[in-house]
Amino acid sequence: MTYKDQSKSVEERVQHLLSLMTTEEKVGQLTQPFGWQTYTNNQGNITLNETFKAQVQNTGVGSLYGVLRADPWTGVTLENGLSAREGAEAVNLIQRYAVEHSRLGIPILIGEECSHGHMAIDGTVYPVPLLLGSTWNVDLYREMCQAVARETRAQGGAVTYSPVLDVVRDPRWGRTEECFGEDPYLIGELAVASVEGLQGERLNREDAVAATLKHFVGYGSSEGGRNAGPVHMGWRELLEVDLYPFRKAVEAGAASIMPAYNEIDGTPCTVNTELLEDVLRKDWGFDGLVITDCGAINMLASGHDVANDGLDASVQAIQAGIDMEMSGEMFGQYLVQAVAEGKLDVQVLDQAVRRVLALKFSLGLFEQPYVDADRAEEVIGSEAHVQLARQLAAEGVVMLKNEGATLPLSTTTAGRIAVIGPNADQAYNQLGDYTSPQPKSKVATVLDGIRSKLAVSANGHVEKGSAGHTNSAETYVESVVNEVLYAPGCRIKGDSKEGFERAIEVASQAETVIMVVGGSSARDFGEGTIDLKTGASNVSDNSWNDMECGEGIDRMTLGLAGVQLELIQEIHKLGKTLVVVYINGRPITEPWVDEHADAILEAWYPGQEGGHAIADILFGDVNPSGRLTISIPKHVGQLPIYYNGKRSRGKRYLEEDLEPRYAFGYGLSYTTFEYSDPKLSGTNITAGDSVAVSVNVTNTGSCAGAEVVQMYISDVVSSITRPDKELKGFAKVYLEPGETQTVELHIGAEQLQYIGRDLKPVVEPGQFHIHIGSNVNDTQMTVLTVKEA
């Protein structure tokens, strides 16, 4: 049969298969039930549920969401969930049933969450995207995406619902952690790397998955930073800012895209024909799959209230350009009826089905719907992936303050160290949202990392002896717990200070105090609560949820929750060296900490290897090279404070100016860098031509380090108001002490254009200021003149 003939084109195969399908089978291809509800796992014995089997036999199933997903929402735990091998076997069982028992033998599209690692048991947990962006290392992020694709496809996952390309405008938003930052250019570079890494050379390879860009569009600009709130934005800003990363990813070949929950100027994105048809398909030439977010069609009738009922909502969605409904029942319940009653043209239905089938053919699912369970066991959570997670975490940690070269600490002279705070030894608090259950042994907390670091230092046999006596490594490893003291002090939330006394007692015995505070996006994994007096974990029926960030958890402030600040202040009274490590999913605004801490590290949610990465930085094995991708305000009242606002935004409030506490692109190093004056390869060009700008960067310090060279461009006079500076290029360079490198960055139409009066890109003649430096507020300038073509 033609659709089974691999020698035929995808278009021919799709058209032939579509011609054989009933209306019910077509609609079946647009549905996506919850995957974890299709099977039962009885101590490794996996069986398919009767409801799922009946659906396959009657209409077929187009896709399954989260077959391998494990978290409190799904109810899938370490005890009842699927291991790497079992996951692959379960997907094989599902695919075999679909191929052998559906009338036309159509395999199922397995869709999974992979924002910072495959959200499945045994999968590697990488840092959250906010930290990944802070690495400014596009190549390393691409490598991570390749690893994520390798793990996901090894278990049979074929589509990932990532990357998240939202531009953050209000960091009070709970999903800030899932985003790369506030700048569209930087997000666009990472978007391209994500598509390249996830999809690889061909989608039908065993290490490739289809990327789904989300959330299309404006999701990070919601009113008041409230999740899925209305967005007030004109077309020019949409095209220049929020749509830019999506366009770059579409140009890179992204296979799928997901509209956002929010409305823009009164139109929900799920039914925004101007976005889904005019911009996405006609202007950009996108020919891939459009899938809703979970429950988005329901929201049209109950939330947005632009549809009368489920039938009306379903018809509106598919007519606007939606091809598949994620994890909902609207399409399956109403589309057959809509066709029968003449409310939906069958040609519209057919177009959506074509796109679903085309993706399945492109993924090679008809030729190879099954995976190798042995390979899954070998690939998933491999040592290479673990080391990659550690490197990413280390490169993304941002050093905000280092008064008097407090850091790095010495493993030989730091003395007794007290590690204190609610995030010092809470594994789930450093993993971020969209994370699967983890065995405690898999996640290195900051306390684990510091103890491990000091223990390893003892393997040289003499680094930790007393009074000239040499201790063996074995003896020191046993004593390390006594050298590194620990107390949680308090929880993330709540007003209990019962742990203060113990924390103060512990800190008083140390020379250096490392306070590990911040936030949590950890859902209730059944870990129980912390005994604030002993630091032990107590599992009880009355669990404590410290979640103050994550999807649906938006805040009014950016300060530390609970009594964390009071704990830091009490510890500070002891007069000890005070290092603050933030582990969190959104910027923290605490002026007292900025002023009084000796050193501050912003570690975001650093993933499973975060504790080791932070210890590497604390003790100087890694020189911090993370740079902020989001401006940190002095006060929440300064919001919005993203760096690339318009020149006309004003200068100050009565109480404070508009300068952030820590600027976009900012981050300290253990070494110093010096820039030469930037030089252009030509100072006068014609619109449409390109030029290069170069700068010499020298490591003037005593240790090796990485610098992020950033290029910002200012359009001096323009027909439409512009931001003062916009990031248009960057490079991360590694320099030995005394080494100089010449960094060259490209300037062309893409860097000089903006959206003009006719809503089309234009490069206007005139002067452009080219700024090169270490952050948006620390640059050197040269002038480029552009003449009319």
Side-chain angles (χ1 to χ4, degrees):
M1 299 178 75
T2 300
Y3 79 88
K4 294 185 177 180
D5 186 348
Q6 193 175 354
S7 68
K8 302 293 184 181
S9 68
V10 169
E11 292 76 15
E12 289 176 299
R13 299 175 77 180
V14 167
Q15 189 57 41
H16 178 241
L17 180 52
L18 186 65
S19 71
L20 302 176
M21 298 172 72
T22 66
T23 299
E24 289 76 10
E25 288 171 330
K26 292 175 182 178
V27 171
Q29 288 301 301
L30 310 187
T31 62
Q32 187 189 62
F34 289 131
W36 66 88
Q37 296 179 352
T38 62
Y39 68 88
T40 299
N41 179 22
N42 185 9
Q43 297 182 334
N45 181 29
I46 304 164
T47 57
L48 300 182
N49 298 334
E50 293 303 317
T51 302
F52 169 69
K53 290 161 69 173
Q55 191 172 359
V56 169
Q57 294 177 37
N58 294 334
T59 63
V61 173
S63 179
L64 289 174
Y65 172 81
V67 172
L68 303 162
R69 175 170 175 165
D71 67 337
W73 182 57
T74 63
V76 179
T77 66
L78 289 172
E79 290 71 32
N80 65 20
L82 303 170
S83 67
R85 168 175 286 277
E86 290 168 344
E89 292 171 344
V91 170
N92 285 345
L93 189 64
I94 288 168
Q95 293 286 29
R96 183 165 291 106
Y97 196 87
V99 170
E100 295 178 359
H101 292 86
S102 64
R103 188 176 71 90
L104 295 169
I106 303 175
I108 293 174
L109 198 63
I110 306 296
E112 297 290 314
E113 296 287 359
C114 304
S115 174
H116 56 114
H118 186 197
M119 192 179 173
I121 292 169
D122 292 341
T124 308
V125 185
Y126 294 95
V128 296
L130 190 55
L131 183 147
L132 297 172
S134 298
T135 68
W136 295 67
N137 191 330
V138 176
D139 292 336
L140 192 64
Y141 174 63
R142 184 186 298 106
E143 186 179 342
M144 187 206 92
C145 291
Q146 292 169 340
V148 171
R150 198 175 299 123
E151 290 196 10
T152 306
R153 196 64 183 263
Q155 278 189 301
V159 178
T160 168
Y161 301 116
S162 60
V164 174
L165 303 182
D166 304 315
V167 180
V168 178
R169 283 296 182 248
D170 191 329
R172 293 176 298 174
W173 182 40
R175 302 192 77 171
T176 295
E177 65 180 88
E178 298 180 52
C179 307
F180 296 119
E182 69 186 28
D183 181 79
Y185 180 85
L186 175 63
I187 299 169
E189 295 298 292
L190 294 165
V192 171
S194 178
V195 173
E196 293 171 345
L198 292 169
Q199 297 189 173
E201 296 178 4
R202 297 191 317 275
L203 283 175
N204 62 358
R205 291 169 58 101
E206 65 179 4
D207 57 356
V209 294
T212 302
L213 317 177
K214 66 181 189 183
H215 305 85
F216 190 72
V217 63
Y219 195 39
S221 299
S222 62
E223 188 179 85
R226 294 184 296 275
N227 192 47
V231 171
H232 310 289
M233 188 181 296
W235 269 103
R236 179 171 290 103
E237 186 175 356
L238 263 176
L239 290 166
E240 284 188 346
V241 179
D242 288 68
L243 284 169
Y244 175 83
F246 288 92
R247 177 171 65 83
K248 298 299 290 185
V250 167
E251 291 172 354
S256 178
I257 200 162
M258 179 188 294
Y261 286 125
N262 57 273
E263 62 181 77
I264 302 176
D265 195 24
T267 303
C269 292
T270 305
V271 290
N272 194 321
T273 307
E274 288 180 285
L275 285 172
L276 299 181
E277 289 294 334
D278 296 346
V279 172
L280 182 60
R281 296 203 185 275
K282 293 178 184 177
D283 294 349
W284 296 355
F286 178 74
D287 62 355
L289 179 75
V290 176
I291 181 171
T292 72
D293 209 335
C294 183
I297 295 180
N298 304 64
M299 288 178 64
L300 298 176
S302 179
H304 292 302
D305 299 329
V306 296
N308 292 319
D309 51 27
L311 174 61
D312 185 19
S314 298
V315 171
Q316 284 192 41
I318 195 170
Q319 288 179 336
I322 298 297
D323 301 316
M324 179 178 283
E325 179 187 13
M326 172 184 269
S327 311
E329 299 177 348
M330 296 294 102
F331 272 12
Q333 187 173 347
Y334 293 112
L335 289 188
V336 173
Q337 176 187 346
V339 172
E341 295 177 356
K343 296 178 179 178
L344 176 63
D345 191 321
V346 71
Q347 292 181 344
V348 175
L349 174 64
D350 286 354
Q351 183 60 270
V353 179
R354 281 192 185 92
R355 291 165 181 154
V356 174
L357 295 177
L359 182 55
K360 291 185 179 185
F361 281 119
S362 297
L363 285 161
L365 295 179
F366 282 83
E367 285 69 51
Q368 184 51 275
Y370 311 118
V371 293
D372 182 350
D374 288 337
R375 183 173 184 273
E377 203 167 35
E378 175 187 341
V379 166
I380 294 169
S382 69
E383 182 59 28
H385 294 176
V386 170
Q387 291 306 311
L388 179 59
R390 182 168 178 167
Q391 182 181 355
L392 282 158
E395 287 208 25
V397 171
V398 183
M399 185 161 66
L400 300 178
K401 182 179 182 181
N402 193 24
E403 194 76 23
T406 298
L407 298 178
L409 303 173
S410 168
T411 56
T412 58
T413 62
R416 182 170 287 174
I417 295 172
V419 184
I420 294 172
N423 278 346
D425 196 37
Q426 285 296 298
Y428 282 111
N429 284 11
Q430 69 183 51
L431 301 182
D433 205 358
Y434 283 85
T435 298
S436 60
Q438 303 296 318
K440 185 168 178 56
S441 60
K442 183 178 175 180
V443 181
T445 65
V446 176
L447 180 63
D448 294 331
I450 291 172
R451 284 178 170 168
S452 175
K453 178 68 63 178
L454 295 180
V456 168
S457 75
N459 287 333
H461 301 303
V462 293
E463 286 194 83
K464 278 285 182 176
S466 61
H469 293 88
T470 301
N471 288 351
S472 69
E474 291 78 8
T475 302
Y476 176 65
V477 169
E478 292 175 358
S479 69
V480 123
V481 173
N482 296 321
E483 297 290 327
V484 181
L485 307 175
Y486 162 66
C490 66
R491 297 186 175 92
I492 298 294
K493 299 191 302 186
D495 56 7
S496 174
K497 300 180 183 178
E498 63 178 302
F500 276 32
E501 182 179 352
R502 172 61 180 162
I504 293 169
E505 178 187 347
V506 165
S508 67
Q509 300 174 44
E511 284 72 42
T512 301
V513 178
I514 299 173
M515 298 289 306
V516 191
V517 295
S520 172
S521 294
R523 300 180 185 273
D524 185 1
F525 285 91
E527 292 295 289
T529 61
I530 312 170
D531 187 320
L532 296 179
K533 295 180 179 179
T534 67
S537 179
N538 295 328
V539 179
S540 70
D541 293 334
N542 301 315
S543 62
W544 178 278
N545 190 331
D546 262 338
M547 190 175 184
E548 56 79 67
C549 192
E551 185 171 4
I553 311 294
D554 312 312
R555 292 193 63 191
M556 294 175 62
T557 73
L558 293 175
L560 289 167
V563 295
Q564 294 181 86
L565 178 59
E566 294 176 65
L567 175 64
I568 300 172
Q569 292 171 332
E570 290 300 315
I571 298 296
H572 178 263
K573 292 176 182 177
L574 298 173
K576 308 289 185 176
T577 298
L578 181 63
V579 177
V580 173
V581 177
Y582 286 138
I583 291 180
N584 48 293
R586 57 163 73 85
I588 289 173
T589 298
E590 285 294 0
W592 190 94
V593 176
D594 294 330
E595 181 179 351
H596 292 90
D598 295 297
I600 304 173
L601 295 181
E602 174 53 84
W604 306 121
Y605 292 137
Q608 70 175 62
E609 294 300 301
H612 290 312
I614 291 167
D616 287 341
I617 289 173
L618 288 172
F619 290 94
D621 293 319
V622 170
N623 191 344
S625 62
R627 304 292 184 264
L628 292 177
T629 61
I630 192 165
S631 304
I632 300 180
K634 300 169 187 170
H635 188 281
V636 72
Q638 291 180 299
L639 298 177
I641 199 171
Y642 49 89
Y643 86 93
N644 48 359
K646 294 295 185 73
R647 295 184 177 109
S648 58
R649 75 194 309 181
K651 300 297 182 183
R652 64 172 299 117
Y653 292 99
L654 173 64
E655 299 88 351
E656 186 57 81
D657 60 29
L658 295 185
E659 287 299 312
R661 175 71 65 185
Y662 301 108
F664 180 86
Y666 173 84
L668 299 176
S669 170
Y670 292 147
T671 189
T672 53
F673 300 97
E674 185 176 286
Y675 287 69
S676 69
D677 292 332
K679 294 183 179 179
L680 291 164
S681 58
T683 58
N684 291 272
I685 63 171
T686 301
D689 291 343
S690 61
V691 67
V693 59
S694 61
V695 63
N696 293 330
V697 182
T698 303
N699 182 344
T700 55
S702 59
C703 64
E707 173 70 331
V708 178
V709 181
Q710 302 162 40
M711 177 179 74
Y712 300 87
I713 295 182
S714 301
D715 191 343
V716 179
V717 178
S718 54
S719 300
I720 301 293
T721 62
R722 307 293 304 136
D724 183 44
K725 292 179 183 177
E726 294 178 288
L727 181 74
K728 294 296 181 179
F730 62 90
K732 192 167 191 175
V733 294
Y734 298 84
L735 299 171
E736 294 294 327
E739 182 183 0
T740 297
Q741 279 192 34
T742 300
V743 177
E744 186 173 283
L745 298 170
H746 172 81
I747 303 173
E750 185 83 18
Q751 285 72 35
L752 299 175
Q753 69 187 18
Y754 71 92
I755 303 300
R757 292 185 181 275
D758 59 356
L759 297 183
K760 301 294 183 184
V762 60
V763 177
E764 289 187 335
Q767 282 194 343
F768 293 81
H769 289 170
I770 313 301
H771 305 265
I772 304 287
S774 60
N775 67 70
V776 69
N777 288 343
D778 184 11
T779 60
Q780 301 180 64
M781 189 191 77
T782 188
V783 180
L784 173 66
T785 301
V786 177
K787 298 177 291 185
E788 192 167 0

